[in-house]
Amino acid sequence: MVRPRMDMKKILHVLLFLLCFFSFALATTTPTPPTCGPMTDASLDEDCTNARCVAVNSSCVTTSAGSRRCACVNKNVQISATECALGPSILSSTTNYVFSTDLSRTSVTVGSIMFDGLSTFPTNTFSIEGKVYPDEGILDLKRNSTHIDVALVKEISNAKTFVVALRATSGEFTVQQVVTVRITSSSFTPEDVTVMLVEGTSKGTLIADVRTTGSLGGYSNFEMETTDQTARALFNVTTSGQVLCGQDMFLSDFTNNDTVAKEYIFSVKATNGGQRATTATFYILLFKSTFTTTLRENWTGNILSYTITSTKFQVAINDTLPDRLKLSKDLMTISLVKEIDYDAGITSIHFKLDLVTTTSTKSTSVDVHINIEDQNDHSPRFDKPNYQSEITTWEWVTNNPVDVFDVTDDDSGTNGLFILSMSGETDKFYIDGDTVGVLRIKEGASQPVASTTYNFDITATDKGSPSQSVTVPVSVDVKKIQGTSSLRFSSKDFRFSIVENRLYTTSFGRANAAHDANVSVRYTLIHGGDFRIDPSSGALTCSTAQDRETAANHTMVVRARDIATNASDVAVVTVQILDVNDNGPIFLASSGQHVFQVKEYSTGKEIGRIIAKDGDADENGRITYSIVSQTPRAHFSINPGTGIVTVSGDLDREDYDTYNLIIKATDNADAPRTATTSATILVDDINDNPPTFQTTYAVTVKEDSAISASVAIVSATDRDLSQHGAVTYFPDTVMVNGTVCPFKVSVETGVVKVSGDLDYETTSTYECTVTAVDMKGCSNCTGRLTGSTTMSVTILDFNDNPPVFQGAPYRANISRDANINTLVTDVITATDRDDTKDGNGVVKYHILSSIDYFRIDRDSGSIYVASTLDKVNDDVVTLMIKATDLPQNDPAMEAITNITISILTEQPRPFFRRTYTFLLTENEKPDDNKVVSIRAYVRRASEEVCDCTYDLIGSDNSSLYIDSMTGDLRQKDPIDREKTGSRFYVRVKATDRHSLLYNTTDVEVNVKDVNDNVPYFNNTQQNFIVNQNVLVGHVIGRVISVDADELSHPIYTAFTDVEGIELLGDGTLVVRASLSKYTVVDMFVSVKEENFRGSISIFRATTTKVHIEVLPDDYNEHTPVFGNDAYEASLEFLSETGTEVKITNFRATDVDGHNVTYAIQTRNDRNNLKIDSQTGKISVHIKLDDTVPRVLELVVIAIDRSLHPKTGSCTVMITLHGYTETECVAKHEYSRLEQDSNQRKVFLGLFIAMAILLAVVSISAVFAVYKLTTVKRRTQYQENINLAHGKTTKASDQSGYDSLAAGSKDEETAYNNLKDRDFAYLHAPSSARY
């Protein structure tokens, strides 16, 4: 085989051409088709001179006054306007059908299209039909008398919309209409609905409407499903899908008093006939807005409880409590884990319990107020564990003090108050005082006569419940004094006052007893503490500064004793500590704990109290409060005396939601002390802002949009927070005049969907008002605010109106002698109500009948003569006329009518009613009984047989003849099929003897073949090539013979047997063993006919030589070849990894017998697909996403397994079905990305061209080396062959290579050459054959 030389210049030219073509293709855009201008419509009794009549059964007629008006026409007769309506204007009152079914089930009727428009015409019998667009074999329409049943016959994965063209015919009336049918899934994904319902909601309050939840399809009846009987009692679900409160909602009716929230769960089921689906599961949290309780001091444990069983709600504690208090939360309770000490100043606590949905879309809170009740947890305490006192008989005087008891109790209030009591000696002593008890001599107590000791107990008992007490022992020794004295205190109680924080080293007072001048007195203090008394003068001093805040009074007993007689007297000394301003105000709470909340616009409301304490007394301890600063605005005031903070200005949370105050506490001393603290005020939201839309909306909607088709997304925002600012939308949209627009808004998402029938021809634009309402999920709340915007909707015309013929059916007359292009009629007119902008209302006309004598003007509908009519056999021709509109984007619609054309002629000519066929057998003798009777007819008053003569004209076959009088056609001579062929025609002419007019018809003659020829070989040798390494069973080729008969059954026989190669009876050469020892195989083959029925008159060559050249193992001449250059397949967009792409007959073969491997060469940029290298099966490797093109074009290569492999390729185009596109990138970004992509394509094209050029140069170099080596090897190989046959190699290396190449012939090429030569020989003149 001669290998072509690589011409580098030609290769460069080809590459440059491809590069230019690639650049031109990138820069070329498809022009936009032109649009058609508007057309004028005319109704009944309107001028139609330059307009078309659009009323049913109307046509443009000429009145008696000569004007052109639209009038009712039926069967070419003008009728009344009432009769004109005999034919419904519509077939189905519903234009958009939605049927729900299981999309995986097939051969089931999903619904019916009702022809209710025909019900007003009970006397008419209509024939109805329908056609589906697109017709993908998914739906099957079953016609009935009043409706069409729609059946799903092919499984679909997602909801799908179809257009169905309807047509009803009754007599001369034809009515057409287009409806849409949407098949949706009856399986719903249950939606979860979370509702927060405050305690106190009244019975009958609407909680939710299930009909606005999800897509309900055809479901209409609803019911509650739950095993919780409490939920069933609390909530009602109406059959129409409304969820209501079944009674007044109070938690205490069903739970403990400490429960602040409880969750109830139930489902709502939707039913429709036998179908059933869960549409929503409701999670309703019933909660208290406030919770107040009282706890005892030192108490720990559960404060409150809640019951939340799902994961839809979360509970969080929102508090600003001091660190010494700690709350704990578990799944059901809030607990106090640290004891509260009331005596430390904590008398109440307040916090919020936040209730939030898991998705954080809804939230509320429970205000928790806990009052702390003081507990009597401390017992009174004496300053001494026991008391031992002395008194003399001289001091035994009524009301004289004996001792002082100092008692304290750390409790507060009544728990800290106590009384003192004695047990024993109550006739001698009594206790005077409360916090400081003075033991005194009781009136009437008899004086002891001698030294005596009194022992008794003193008990201090507080006033708490239960009370606590403490008892100490008291011992009073009474000493006998014999002498007398004039010594007596003039007062039993001395009171003095000193100023705190001062040292009194000099006397601040005297406790003197009266006595005679000659009496010497000595003074002493009992329980004097820090106080001292001068023994001689009774002057009181204090060398230690006293703190009034520690003890405001000090009580002690002073004793004056006569030194001479030891007579003595006692009195009580009380020292009052006077206050100085030594303490500044102290705030009870830290700055971080002064956090208050108030709703906005609460002017005059008291929001909290700032409390400071001052240990000083009177004016020194009286505090005045003031606000030093407040940011960002001065909207608060404080009561100077109480510290109560009040709102003094208008608070707007949307301006400022937090205020910071600096508050000062000042005492009223002459030199006042101050303290400051900070307070944070959080402004709570109220519903004071309506929802607002940022823009008006202008959208376009296709007229055929299905119910629930998305139109737009509206969005309103509300400056308020939480549930106040959560926006929902009113589902209904209305026009200015109050008419409801055919669009509904999703309550939750703002998605606007089609909710009614759209008819461009009725209303082409809508100005709809869209309304948003705040406080989402609070249907029973008052004070909800709304906001509105305008949505302008432009309806885009859809081709939903078929053309309507006016005045159909039609009749016309034409002379048989009319010339070509003669107008037959111009009354055919079809009108279309659709707009002409996109071609929907543009009508074109076609002739459906297979008659080529007439043509129709596609634009006007006028019919003209297309060819001479003298060849038309019939005098009346009926044409089926189709009017079709020309939508650019939608399915076309059509109308069909008939026109009957009468061909008028003065002299009727003969015509044939049918065509004729004559069946004969090759070489068969003529049989007079085998006849074909040909008859011509002539139309006159009635159709009759023509008085004609018959002739065969223009026929060169003399084997047939016809009877000129009867028209009988017979065989005259035997027929040789190999000369005439299997089929030929003879033309019969029938001439009317009276008018001499004639007509012709062609008679088809079929000749059955007889096996009367023997097979033969047209050459003496047939050549084949095979590789040494082919496997057993490999087919080398087929020996070919020639036989002129169709029924030839040649049988081949080998004269010589060759080990390893078998010749089958049909001529196939098959490898049966290894061919490694062969280089050339020659065998002789004969052929004979199995069922020969003729006689051998010419001897042919029935023997040939079969020459098989066996090539070495490394021989590889052919590239692998795919069955097709391009394959097409489809794949679902959502296919999982591993899904196989089904491709019919996708396989490559190698003539050389090598095995083939497969690979994806290019255009698998994202490696989404992979191919099995052995089988060639393509499957999904990486799951597809919306960045993948809708059509994947792969270049797949096949590589043969040889020492020098060759590669073949094909293109595989995979179309993705169910392609889903997301709005990840703005549309203007897509335009920019597309522009960048086009630029990259140009640069990529240039890069590829340069890469190919470099690759070609490299391959050429390698090929040159390979060629040089191969030529040498083949020359040596040829020399070996010649030596084996006794020949001597004299040619050069190149001639040896060419000789070897010339011996290799392609099997198919060899067969075609043999066939051409054999048939040329067969048809050649006898003199030229030999």
Side-chain angles (χ1 to χ4, degrees):
M1 181 178 69
V2 179
R3 298 185 181 272
R5 297 174 58 190
M6 302 296 289
D7 192 332
M8 295 303 298
K9 183 180 292 185
K10 291 182 179 179
I11 291 174
L12 287 174
H13 287 167
V14 171
L15 288 176
L16 289 174
F17 171 77
L18 290 175
L19 178 60
C20 293
F21 177 80
F22 179 71
S23 302
F24 175 77
L26 288 175
T28 303
T29 58
T30 303
T32 303
T35 58
C36 300
M39 300 179 68
T40 304
D41 294 342
S43 299
L44 287 177
D45 203 31
E46 291 183 351
D47 184 12
C48 57
T49 304
N50 295 309
R52 56 185 182 183
C53 299
V54 295
V56 177
N57 297 323
S58 66
S59 181
C60 191
V61 301
T62 303
T63 66
S64 58
S67 62
R68 298 281 287 175
R69 314 290 289 183
C70 289
C72 292
V73 176
N74 186 16
K75 300 184 178 179
N76 295 327
V77 178
Q78 187 168 337
I79 60 178
S80 67
T82 301
E83 294 173 312
C84 191
L86 285 178
S89 59
I90 62 170
L91 301 179
S92 174
S93 61
T94 302
T95 57
N96 299 100
Y97 288 88
V98 178
F99 300 133
S100 298
T101 185
D102 185 348
L103 302 183
S104 62
R105 296 180 60 193
T106 57
S107 301
V108 293
T109 299
V110 298
S112 300
I113 300 173
M114 304 306 298
F115 279 44
D116 48 1
L118 305 180
S119 60
T120 56
F121 301 91
T123 60
N124 292 49
T125 301
F126 289 89
S127 173
I128 63 178
E129 57 183 327
K131 187 173 182 181
V132 180
Y133 299 93
D135 188 4
E136 300 174 343
I138 296 175
L139 298 185
D140 181 33
L141 304 182
K142 301 177 182 178
R143 294 179 293 173
N144 291 281
S145 59
T146 59
H147 63 277
I148 289 180
D149 289 329
V150 180
L152 182 67
V153 297
K154 185 178 180 181
E155 180 179 345
I156 58 178
S157 58
N158 297 303
K160 191 174 181 66
T161 301
F162 303 87
V163 175
V164 178
L166 307 177
R167 182 177 182 181
T169 305
S170 176
E172 302 297 334
F173 297 105
T174 299
V175 184
Q176 300 182 87
Q177 184 184 355
V178 169
V179 299
T180 61
V181 174
R182 181 167 178 81
I183 308 298
T184 63
S185 173
S186 61
S187 299
F188 301 101
T189 301
E191 296 195 16
D192 294 342
V193 181
T194 55
V195 178
M196 291 182 172
L197 197 64
V198 68
E199 186 182 48
T201 304
S202 59
K203 179 179 179 180
T205 300
L206 176 65
I207 299 174
D209 193 333
V210 184
R211 293 170 295 181
T212 64
T213 302
S215 173
L216 300 183
Y219 293 93
S220 57
N221 298 320
F222 302 88
E223 60 179 334
M224 175 192 288
E225 286 199 350
T226 181
T227 58
D228 186 347
Q229 297 306 314
T230 303
R232 191 175 293 278
L234 286 174
F235 307 102
N236 290 335
V237 177
T238 66
T239 56
S240 60
Q242 293 179 317
V243 181
L244 308 174
C245 291
Q247 63 182 52
D248 294 340
M249 311 299 286
F250 291 100
L251 276 169
S252 57
D253 294 343
F254 301 96
T255 61
N256 299 325
N257 290 332
D258 66 347
T259 300
V260 298
K262 181 172 175 59
E263 182 182 23
Y264 297 94
I265 303 174
F266 59 87
S267 297
V268 176
K269 299 288 185 177
T271 58
N272 182 20
Q275 300 188 49
R276 185 178 185 85
T278 301
T279 59
T281 299
F282 280 80
Y283 300 84
I284 300 181
L285 187 64
L286 182 61
F287 68 95
K288 294 180 179 180
S289 59
T290 59
F291 175 76
T292 303
T293 188
T294 300
L295 300 178
R296 299 188 313 275
E297 177 189 14
N298 300 326
W299 183 89
T300 59
N302 295 338
I303 300 174
L304 55 85
S305 64
Y306 50 87
T307 304
I308 298 177
T309 56
S310 74
T311 59
K312 298 298 181 181
F313 301 99
Q314 294 177 343
V315 177
I317 299 174
N318 180 3
D319 69 80
T320 56
L321 300 178
D323 293 338
R324 62 178 177 272
L325 296 178
K326 185 176 182 182
L327 297 175
S328 171
K329 176 178 72 70
D330 60 17
L331 294 177
M332 299 183 65
T333 59
I334 302 295
S335 303
L336 186 65
V337 296
K338 283 189 177 181
E339 296 178 350
I340 300 176
D341 187 359
Y342 182 92
D343 307 304
I346 302 177
T347 60
S348 66
I349 60 176
H350 170 254
F351 63 91
K352 287 182 179 292
L353 196 65
D354 291 335
L355 307 176
V356 186
T357 57
T358 307
T359 57
S360 299
T361 57
K362 301 175 183 177
S363 64
T364 188
S365 61
V366 180
D367 285 325
V368 181
H369 300 272
I370 300 176
N371 297 317
I372 307 302
E373 186 179 73
D374 182 38
Q375 185 179 10
N376 190 22
D377 56 343
H378 297 93
S379 61
R381 183 174 64 255
F382 286 91
D383 62 338
K384 292 181 179 180
N386 57 72
Y387 293 88
Q388 292 181 350
S389 306
E390 287 184 356
I391 191 169
T392 66
T393 55
W394 182 257
E395 297 171 346
W396 191 277
V397 179
T398 299
N399 293 330
N400 260 8
V402 177
D403 207 342
V404 177
F405 307 121
D406 191 0
V407 184
T408 57
D409 192 320
D410 292 334
D411 288 320
S412 302
T414 57
N415 293 331
L417 301 178
F418 54 87
I419 58 176
L420 297 173
S421 61
M422 295 174 56
S423 58
E425 307 301 340
T426 56
D427 58 336
K428 302 292 190 297
F429 306 98
Y430 74 95
I431 299 174
D432 179 24
D434 293 328
T435 58
V436 176
V438 179
L439 184 66
R440 294 179 185 268
I441 305 297
K442 191 172 184 180
E443 182 179 4
S446 59
Q447 188 180 55
V449 295
S451 297
T452 304
T453 299
Y454 297 99
N455 294 306
F456 54 89
D457 293 331
I458 299 294
T459 300
T461 304
D462 61 26
K463 296 183 180 181
S465 179
S467 61
Q468 297 199 52
S469 63
V470 63
T471 301
V472 294
V474 178
S475 175
V476 178
D477 292 333
V478 182
K479 293 183 178 182
K480 181 70 174 178
I481 299 296
Q482 298 295 332
T484 63
S485 176
S486 60
L487 180 68
R488 288 295 179 190
F489 282 103
S490 59
S491 174
K492 297 301 181 184
D493 290 280
F494 291 92
R495 292 187 177 275
F496 304 97
S497 62
I498 63 174
V499 178
E500 65 175 327
N501 301 332
R502 292 185 185 178
L503 299 177
Y504 287 88
T505 56
T506 60
S507 174
F508 61 81
R510 292 177 182 273
N512 296 123
H515 57 84
D516 294 335
N518 60 351
V519 175
S520 296
V521 179
R522 185 178 184 83
Y523 295 94
T524 59
L525 288 177
I526 301 172
H527 300 304
D530 293 332
F531 293 91
R532 300 290 182 266
I533 192 169
D534 186 273
S536 300
S537 64
L540 294 169
T541 59
C542 185
S543 60
T544 302
Q546 298 299 300
D547 183 10
R548 189 204 66 82
E549 288 72 38
T550 302
N553 294 283
H554 295 272
T555 303
M556 60 203 78
V557 176
V558 59
R559 174 174 280 141
R561 184 170 60 86
D562 186 338
I563 297 176
T565 64
N566 277 334
S568 62
D569 197 7
V570 290
V572 175
V573 176
T574 300
V575 180
Q576 178 186 8
I577 310 301
L578 299 180
D579 184 53
V580 296
N581 192 25
D582 60 342
N583 291 285
I586 298 175
F587 291 97
L588 297 186
S590 64
S591 296
Q593 293 174 314
H594 290 145
V595 180
F596 305 102
Q597 290 180 283
V598 62
K599 292 183 178 179
E600 55 183 329
Y601 296 107
S602 300
T603 303
K605 182 177 179 59
E606 296 179 356
I607 62 173
R609 183 179 181 188
I610 303 291
I611 300 177
K613 289 187 177 182
D614 192 319
D616 296 322
D618 301 325
E619 291 301 309
N620 292 337
R622 189 165 66 84
I623 297 174
T624 299
Y625 301 92
S626 62
I627 298 177
V628 178
S629 67
Q630 48 183 314
T631 56
R633 290 181 179 177
H635 283 336
F636 302 92
S637 62
I638 191 169
N639 186 299
T642 63
I644 295 176
V645 179
T646 304
V647 180
S648 60
D650 290 335
L651 301 178
D652 188 352
R653 188 209 60 80
E654 287 70 43
D655 290 339
Y656 304 103
D657 60 357
T658 304
Y659 288 81
N660 296 306
L661 278 61
I662 303 298
I663 296 174
K664 180 171 70 173
T666 306
D667 57 28
N668 286 347
D670 293 336
R673 291 176 178 266
T674 62
T676 59
T677 188
S678 62
T680 300
I681 300 176
L682 305 177
V683 182
D684 289 340
D685 187 47
I686 65 171
N687 191 27
D688 60 331
N689 290 281
T692 57
F693 293 89
Q694 300 303 315
T695 182
T696 58
Y697 297 88
V699 298
T700 57
V701 183
K702 199 71 180 292
E703 181 185 8
D704 66 325
S705 297
I707 299 296
S708 297
S710 295
V711 173
I713 299 178
V714 297
S715 177
T717 57
D718 193 315
R719 296 179 65 202
D720 293 322
L721 288 180
S722 187
Q723 63 179 4
H724 297 146
V727 176
T728 57
Y729 303 89
F730 286 165
D732 291 330
T733 59
V734 295
M735 291 190 286
V736 177
N737 60 5
T739 304
V740 177
C741 291
F743 306 98
K744 281 191 179 295
V745 184
S746 171
V747 174
E748 296 286 339
T749 64
V751 176
V752 182
K753 296 183 178 181
V754 178
S755 62
D757 296 335
L758 304 179
D759 187 1
Y760 172 86
E761 291 71 33
T762 302
T763 306
S764 60
T765 59
Y766 293 89
E767 291 292 327
C768 304
T769 299
V770 180
T771 303
V773 61
D774 57 17
M775 298 178 70
K776 174 182 178 182
C778 192
S779 58
N780 60 322
C781 298
T782 59
R784 302 181 75 182
L785 303 177
T786 61
S788 300
T789 189
T790 301
M791 180 179 68
S792 300
V793 183
T794 301
I795 308 301
L796 301 180
D797 185 38
F798 173 73
N799 191 33
D800 58 342
N801 292 285
V804 177
F805 284 101
Q806 307 301 318
Y810 304 95
R811 288 185 175 276
N813 298 327
I814 188 67
S815 172
R816 190 177 293 274
D817 297 327
N819 295 324
I820 296 176
N821 293 330
T822 299
L823 175 66
V824 178
T825 181
D826 61 355
V827 299
I828 297 177
T829 303
T831 58
D832 194 316
R833 295 182 63 227
D834 290 317
D835 190 5
T836 59
K837 180 179 179 181
D838 293 325
N840 296 338
V842 178
V843 178
K844 299 293 183 181
Y845 301 89
H846 310 270
I847 296 177
L848 296 181
S849 306
S850 57
I851 297 176
D852 56 1
Y853 303 115
F854 301 98
R855 66 177 178 83
I856 192 168
D857 187 286
R858 295 187 69 243
D859 298 316
S860 67
S862 298
I863 296 180
Y864 298 89
V865 176
S867 64
T868 56
L869 302 179
D870 58 353
K871 297 180 182 180
V872 180
N873 291 330
D874 300 325
D875 292 332
V876 178
V877 176
T878 299
L879 302 181
M880 186 178 292
I881 307 299
K882 180 176 73 173
T884 308
D885 49 27
L886 297 178
Q888 296 180 9
N889 304 307
D890 305 326
M893 301 192 71
E894 62 185 39
I896 298 175
T897 189
N898 293 331
I899 180 172
T900 301
I901 302 176
S902 298
I903 303 176
L904 306 179
T905 178
E906 295 179 359
Q907 293 290 336
R909 65 177 64 248
F911 68 93
F912 299 92
R913 286 182 174 175
R914 64 183 182 88
T915 59
Y916 298 92
T917 302
F918 203 174
L919 180 61
L920 300 174
T921 302
E922 182 183 15
N923 300 331
E924 185 180 39
K925 294 181 179 180
D927 184 357
D928 288 341
N929 294 324
K930 183 177 290 187
V931 61
V932 176
S933 297
I934 300 174
R935 298 292 182 267
Y937 300 85
V938 174
R939 287 188 188 86
R940 290 189 174 88
S942 61
E943 192 175 274
E944 60 184 25
V945 178
C946 175
D947 184 11
C948 294
T949 59
Y950 300 91
D951 300 287
L952 294 178
I953 61 173
S955 176
D956 58 354
N957 195 310
S958 59
S959 301
L960 304 175
Y961 73 96
I962 192 168
D963 189 312
S964 62
M965 301 302 293
T966 64
D968 292 341
L969 184 65
R970 292 182 173 84
Q971 180 183 358
K972 182 171 65 175
D973 296 315
I975 296 177
D976 187 355
R977 188 201 64 84
E978 283 71 38
K979 294 180 180 180
T980 63
S982 298
R983 181 186 297 109
F984 64 92
Y985 295 87
V986 294
R987 178 160 295 180
V988 176
K989 176 182 178 183
T991 304
D992 189 345
R993 295 183 181 182
H994 303 287
S995 64
L996 299 182
L997 296 176
Y998 68 90
N999 210 336
T1000 62
T1001 185
D1002 289 330
V1003 180
E1004 179 181 322
V1005 182
N1006 293 322
V1007 182
K1008 182 180 180 181
D1009 184 37
V1010 174
N1011 194 7
D1012 57 347
N1013 291 279
V1014 296
Y1016 64 94
F1017 295 109
N1018 212 24
N1019 56 349
T1020 59
Q1021 179 174 310
Q1022 296 187 24
N1023 300 315
F1024 299 92
I1025 299 174
V1026 66
N1027 284 342
Q1028 286 181 341
N1029 62 347
V1030 296
L1031 302 177
V1032 173
H1034 175 75
V1035 175
I1036 300 174
R1038 186 177 178 186
V1039 179
I1040 301 297
S1041 63
V1042 179
D1043 193 326
D1045 292 323
E1046 291 180 344
L1047 305 177
S1048 175
H1049 297 89
I1051 298 177
Y1052 300 90
T1053 305
F1055 292 160
T1056 56
D1057 293 332
V1058 176
E1059 184 181 356
I1061 298 178
E1062 178 184 3
L1063 175 68
L1064 304 182
D1066 62 353
T1068 302
L1069 296 167
V1070 182
V1071 175
R1072 297 303 186 192
S1074 173
L1075 303 181
S1076 58
K1077 64 181 179 179
Y1078 294 106
T1079 57
V1080 172
V1081 174
D1082 290 322
M1083 52 193 306
F1084 291 92
V1085 176
S1086 66
V1087 63
K1088 65 179 181 178
E1089 176 60 47
E1090 183 179 15
N1091 297 315
F1092 180 66
R1093 294 184 180 181
S1095 57
I1096 302 176
S1097 58
I1098 300 176
F1099 291 96
R1100 305 284 190 180
T1102 59
T1103 303
T1104 187
K1105 178 182 178 182
V1106 174
H1107 177 77
I1108 304 173
E1109 184 175 358
V1110 183
L1111 300 179
D1113 291 346
D1114 61 348
Y1115 184 78
N1116 187 19
E1117 179 182 5
H1118 301 91
T1119 61
V1121 177
F1122 286 91
N1124 299 316
D1125 293 334
Y1127 293 87
E1128 293 184 357
S1130 61
L1131 180 66
E1132 287 296 325
F1133 177 73
L1134 298 178
S1135 296
E1136 297 294 332
T1137 301
T1139 302
E1140 181 182 350
V1141 181
K1142 301 293 185 181
I1143 307 176
T1144 305
N1145 298 325
F1146 183 70
R1147 184 172 177 267
T1149 58
D1150 190 344
V1151 176
D1152 298 321
H1154 297 121
N1155 292 329
V1156 174
T1157 58
Y1158 301 88
I1160 299 176
Q1161 186 180 41
T1162 59
R1163 303 179 188 174
N1164 189 26
D1165 299 334
R1166 296 196 57 201
N1167 201 27
N1168 288 103
L1169 302 175
K1170 66 178 180 179
I1171 190 170
D1172 189 301
S1173 61
Q1174 303 301 318
T1175 64
K1177 291 183 179 179
I1178 299 176
S1179 60
V1180 177
H1181 179 52
I1182 299 176
K1183 194 170 182 179
L1184 306 174
D1185 57 30
D1186 58 2
T1187 62
V1188 178
R1190 295 175 185 268
V1191 178
L1192 300 174
E1193 298 184 19
L1194 306 180
V1195 175
V1196 178
I1197 59 174
I1199 308 170
D1200 57 20
R1201 292 184 177 178
S1202 65
L1203 294 177
H1204 305 287
K1206 291 189 175 183
T1207 302
S1209 66
C1210 71
T1211 301
V1212 179
M1213 299 182 65
I1214 303 173
T1215 302
L1216 302 181
H1217 290 304
Y1219 190 90
T1220 302
E1221 187 173 353
T1222 59
E1223 294 289 338
C1224 295
V1225 184
K1227 292 186 177 179
H1228 69 274
E1229 276 299 299
Y1230 277 119
S1231 300
R1232 183 184 64 78
L1233 293 175
E1234 182 178 5
Q1235 183 178 5
D1236 294 344
S1237 175
N1238 291 335
Q1239 293 175 354
R1240 286 195 295 271
K1241 288 180 180 178
V1242 174
F1243 290 113
L1244 180 62
L1246 294 173
F1247 175 77
I1248 292 174
M1250 296 301 295
I1252 293 175
L1253 180 61
L1254 180 61
V1256 169
V1257 173
S1258 301
I1259 293 172
S1260 300
V1262 173
F1263 181 76
V1265 175
Y1266 168 74
K1267 179 177 178 181
L1268 179 61
T1269 305
T1270 304
V1271 167
K1272 291 181 179 181
R1273 292 173 60 188
R1274 291 189 179 277
T1275 302
Q1276 183 62 42
Y1277 173 69
Q1278 184 63 42
E1279 290 176 355
N1280 293 337
I1281 293 175
N1282 293 337
L1283 289 174
H1285 290 277
K1287 300 179 181 178
T1288 303
T1289 302
K1290 298 179 181 181
S1292 64
D1293 291 344
Q1294 182 63 40
S1295 63
Y1297 174 82
D1298 292 341
S1299 175
L1300 181 63
S1304 302
K1305 300 295 182 180
D1306 185 300
E1307 176 184 337
E1308 184 177 357
T1309 303
Y1311 170 73
N1312 290 333
N1313 292 337
L1314 289 173
K1315 180 178 178 181
D1316 293 342
R1317 287 195 295 270
D1318 290 345
F1319 275 93
Y1321 171 82
L1322 179 64
H1323 295 289
S1326 301
S1327 58
R1329 295 182 183 178
Y1330 299 97

